[in-house]
Amino acid sequence: RVQLSESGGDSVQAGGSLRLSCTASPTTYAANACMAWFRQGPGSGRAGIAYIYTRGGHTFYGDLVKGRFTISQDADKNMVYLQMDNLQPEDTGTYYCAAKTGGVCAGSKGFEFSDQGTEVVVSS
C-alpha cells in the first residue's frame, strides 16, 4: 500500500496562492512512475487535476486548473508539490496525493490514494 501524506492546505481569498506538498515514502516514490493530485469538491467526486511522470518530469493538467496550477517534484526528497495560483472559490475542496505504478499517467484508473488529504478553502 502506498504511503503518502499531504500538507499545505489553508483558507485563502480568491486570487491568492498556496503550495501543497506530498511526502511519499522512499518505497512508494520508487515504485510509482506517476504521481498526481486529485481534488474532491463539496458534494462531488474525486477528480484528477495534475499529473507528473516521476521518471522524466512530464506534466499534464485538467482543463479547470491549466495555467493556474503547477505540479513539480523533488526526487531527492521523495516529494511532489502543487503550486496553486489565482485560486478561485471553485477550487475549494480536499486535495489528495495519488500514485500509480505504470501505464498512462492520467484519469483515475489504477491510482492509489492517501487516506488523509489536505483542505483548501477559497473565499470570494
Side-chain angles (χ1 to χ4, degrees):
R1 174 156 174 75
V2 296
Q3 292 182 295
L4 300 166
S5 179
E6 305 92 340
S7 62
D10 205 345
S11 296
V12 297
Q13 290 194 325
S17 298
L18 284 174
R19 188 175 86 151
L20 306 183
S21 298
C22 170
T23 303
S25 70
T27 302
T28 294
Y29 197 87
N32 289 276
C34 170
M35 300 289 289
W37 285 95
F38 282 68
R39 176 172 73 196
Q40 184 166 13
S44 62
R46 190 161 49 189
I49 55 172
Y51 305 80
I52 186 167
Y53 282 97
T54 58
R55 297 163 188 134
H58 297 294
T59 59
F60 302 92
Y61 298 92
D63 289 339
L64 294 177
V65 305
K66 196 177 297 182
R68 298 187 299 122
F69 291 11
T70 304
I71 187 171
S72 62
Q73 63 178 343
D74 185 333
D76 292 336
K77 298 180 179 178
N78 304 315
M79 295 194 69
V80 177
Y81 305 98
L82 185 67
Q83 176 67 39
M84 306 187 294
D85 297 318
N86 190 22
L87 282 160
Q88 300 300 315
E90 53 265 34
D91 295 317
T92 294
T94 304
Y95 286 69
Y96 296 90
C97 186
K100 184 175 179 181
T101 55
V104 177
C105 193
S108 59
K109 189 176 181 180
F111 281 92
E112 291 188 75
F113 297 88
S114 75
D115 295 327
Q116 177 187 344
T118 187
E119 296 286 334
V120 173
V121 177
V122 185
S123 57
S124 58

